[in-house]
Amino acid sequence: MTKEWWKEGVVYQIYPSSFKDSNGDGIGDIPGITSELDYIKSLGVEIIWVSPFYKSPQYDMGYDISDYQDVYEKYGTVEDVEALIQGCHERGMRIIFDLVVNHTSHLHAWFQESASSKTNPKHDWYIWRPARYVNGERLPPCNWRGFFGGSVWEWDDNIGEYYLHLFAKEQPDLNWENPEVRQAIYNDAMRFWLDKGADGFRIDTVNMYSKRLDFPDAPVVEPDTRWQPAYDLICNGPRMHEFLREMNDEVLSKYDAMTVGELPHTPDPAHVLRYVSASARQLQQVFQMDLVFLDFGERSKHYPRKWALTEFKTALEKWQNFIEGNDGWTTNFLENHDTGRSVSRYGSDSPQFAAVSAKMLAVFLTTLTGTTYVYQGQEMGMVNAPKIWPIEEYKDIETLNSYNEVKQITGNDKVALEEVMKGIQLTARDHNRLPFQWDASANAGFTTAAKPWMRVHDNYREINASQQSEDPTSVLSFWKNMIKLRKRYSELFVHGSFKICDFEDENVLTYVKEHGKNRAIVMLNFSDTPQKANVELVRDMAILVSNYTCKSDESYLLPYEGRVYI
Ligand code: TEU
Ligand code: CA
């Protein structure tokens, strides 16, 4: 088995605005990350993924890029990024960046030219369409709703047409049908950073670049529905694999580069494999979103639904088993910058169970096959913002659009706003953008500024990296030990086969990992009461680790307990 580094290494995701502020302006920055590389190295991770730091007006926290070859001034300079790359490599770590090329910022020079006139050579670099007129009323080319609410079409008086934006109107979609656009992306957004030593990319919305150019209407959606049935029209378009193959042949294959694509709304495992099969020469791995979308309601993510553990198991099986017997690869993650905290969503963030469920989820992620991803703060069991925080503490465009849409549609109805606020308190992207909690000093040691750009969690004195680094029983120490265990038994955990036992059990997730003669059994109690462990499975095996101290013949799993038998 060739040991590809992008399979073996645990990846640590950093959100630049919230990790470490080095110059006291209340905003995290690149030198702040560089100053903490020894901490990151101490976790035992080998690869860092940094969310966008490029020049941007920040309508979508940097996922709206106005210059791929420059850095957002509040984060630092290109030289700071070069120093960060060097700092990683000196410590034997690798670093990948975000590749956001479905759209640019409306302030990107390309869009400024495209929107200047229909005859401008770059007009066709974005997607323009004439209006439809029904009974004299001007309507957008189709009824699709964007990920941040509202239509995906914005009217431009100067051009006299609409332009497409799947996300905010400040994020116009690039026209990938135009080969000049693809070549500019390969050069400006990819080779520029790969030649500076970047070790690859996390590729944003990786299945949305090829559009259904006939733009058919989606089935009719309710006025405030965010999750529309149009995803099969928006994702996995007709030329998607052709474009990614070209990107790989022309750029990525020329470097020892890692790629992981964000792949939402792709239910068919066979289709997922078409993106990551080695012989397809497109991507090495993808994030499948089934598990992190599990609690999203039909109306939208901000009307969350209760899920059963068997649903969790079904999504997990898709992650783990679609690569069985083929040349694909998979990923494991429960958090990123678009999610709420996994302890709050899949465990319990009550004072009684927060730490132990964080450890249970650490057992889960470090024993699964594929590349494992940890999001900043997850290693110490950070939890969602307190439910008492008002909407004014939330900053994310997706959250605020959702809240304001309900406000506008219901005429400020109190009950309706309380309902959407309840959902925001569980699944808003803001929860994972609170400042990193370094220590118990002011603002959790994140900044020396009086007021950070986003409020620090009220619990930073109880949950912080400094205190947990000294405590061998902390979530942080447990994560470090589990990453060590994963590495020690990498054939079994990184590469082993995966099989769920007792599938119907709605409280305990049990799975067996096998590689050759080696076998591991993992048992995770997702409930807040003791559950019977299927100890039949673990004859002649010695417990290696549990987030409680227990004897190998213990026949009950304690609440939120994770156990590994090897
Ligand atoms: O996310 C794509 C995406 O679909 C998410 O917006 C997701 O659907 C949503 O957050 C679910 O709640 C990527 C980036 O990860 C996200 O941060 C950006 O806002 C988005 O693309 C636009 O670049
Ligand atoms: Ca700063």
Side-chain angles (χ1 to χ4, degrees), residues 440-473:
S441 70
N443 288 312
F446 162 73
T447 178
T448 54
K451 194 170 182 319
W453 75 278
M454 181 149 197
R455 181 172 166 181
V456 173
H457 201 294
D458 305 338
N459 68 9
Y460 73 90
R461 292 180 193 81
E462 294 77 45
I463 296 183
N464 64 71
S466 160
Q467 193 182 57
Q468 292 197 17
S469 295
E470 309 301 319
D471 172 1
T473 66

Side-chain angles (χ1 to χ4, degrees), residues 21-23 25 27-29 74:
D21 170 20
S22 72
N23 62 348
D25 65 357
I27 298 169
D29 46 54
K74 292 194 182 303

Side-chain angles (χ1 to χ4, degrees), residues 479-490:
W479 256 106
K480 287 178 182 175
N481 291 334
M482 285 309 299
I483 289 174
K484 275 195 199 106
L485 184 79
R486 176 177 180 80
K487 245 185 266 186
R488 185 172 155 207
Y489 293 90
S490 79

Side-chain angles (χ1 to χ4, degrees), residues 70-273:
D70 201 353
V71 175
Y72 172 47
E73 58 281 2
K74 292 194 182 303
Y75 287 165
T77 63
V78 172
E79 292 68 30
D80 291 327
V81 175
E82 288 169 330
L84 173 59
I85 294 170
Q86 192 189 342
C88 287
H89 291 171
E90 280 167 0
R91 291 167 175 81
M93 294 193 287
R94 289 181 165 91
I95 183 164
I96 67 173
F97 295 156
D98 234 298
L99 182 64
V100 186
V101 289
N102 172 70
H103 47 268
T104 65
S105 161
H106 67 308
L107 298 182
H108 195 294
W110 298 347
F111 186 72
Q112 293 299 306
E113 295 215 20
S114 174
S116 63
S117 84
K118 278 189 167 180
T119 55
N120 182 292
K122 284 195 170 60
H123 181 64
D124 182 43
W125 281 41
Y126 291 80
I127 299 169
W128 298 89
R129 287 291 185 281
R132 286 184 299 185
Y133 288 89
V134 176
N135 307 328
E137 189 196 350
R138 186 184 72 202
L139 292 176
C142 70
N143 69 352
W144 300 358
R145 294 173 59 77
F147 285 89
F148 299 150
S151 168
V152 296
W153 297 100
E154 179 70 10
W155 177 258
D156 180 286
D157 271 331
N158 174 47
I159 296 291
E161 291 190 342
Y162 286 91
Y163 67 83
L164 178 72
H165 60 88
L166 297 181
F167 293 89
K169 66 179 185 328
E170 295 83 5
Q171 294 170 290
D173 279 48
L174 282 161
N175 175 16
W176 272 69
E177 299 293 327
N178 183 331
E180 288 174 8
V181 169
R182 302 201 301 271
Q183 291 307 319
I185 287 169
Y186 301 160
N187 245 346
D188 292 20
M190 300 179 76
R191 291 192 188 97
F192 179 81
W193 293 106
L194 290 168
D195 290 341
K196 287 185 181 301
D199 297 294
F201 296 102
R202 173 268 185 183
I203 307 179
D204 196 53
T205 63
V206 79
N207 59 349
M208 300 186 195
Y209 311 157
S210 167
K211 314 299 184 188
R212 278 284 305 269
L213 298 173
D214 53 341
F215 292 109
D217 269 343
V220 175
V221 292
E222 294 312 311
D224 68 344
T225 294
R226 180 61 45 75
W227 293 121
Q228 61 196 346
Y231 292 122
D232 53 345
L233 297 172
I234 288 179
C235 298
N236 305 312
R239 298 183 67 188
M240 205 49 251
H241 296 285
E242 176 198 335
F243 291 158
L244 291 178
R245 177 66 174 269
E246 180 187 82
M247 178 193 274
N248 190 301
D249 287 349
E250 296 203 10
V251 186
L252 295 164
S253 58
K254 313 284 189 232
Y255 301 82
D256 178 17
M258 166 178 172
T259 51
V260 52
E262 180 196 29
L263 193 81
H265 314 297
T266 307
D268 176 3
H271 193 168
V272 179
L273 186 61

Side-chain angles (χ1 to χ4, degrees), residues 332-368:
N332 308 299
F333 68 106
L334 286 178
E335 293 191 25
N336 58 38
H337 61 289
D338 288 336
T339 70
R341 287 289 178 184
S342 52
V343 172
S344 304
R345 295 174 78 191
Y346 307 102
S348 160
D349 54 18
S350 68
Q352 182 188 6
F353 291 128
V356 74
S357 53
K359 292 177 183 176
M360 185 266 284
L361 295 171
V363 173
F364 174 67
L365 284 173
T366 53
T367 53
L368 289 176

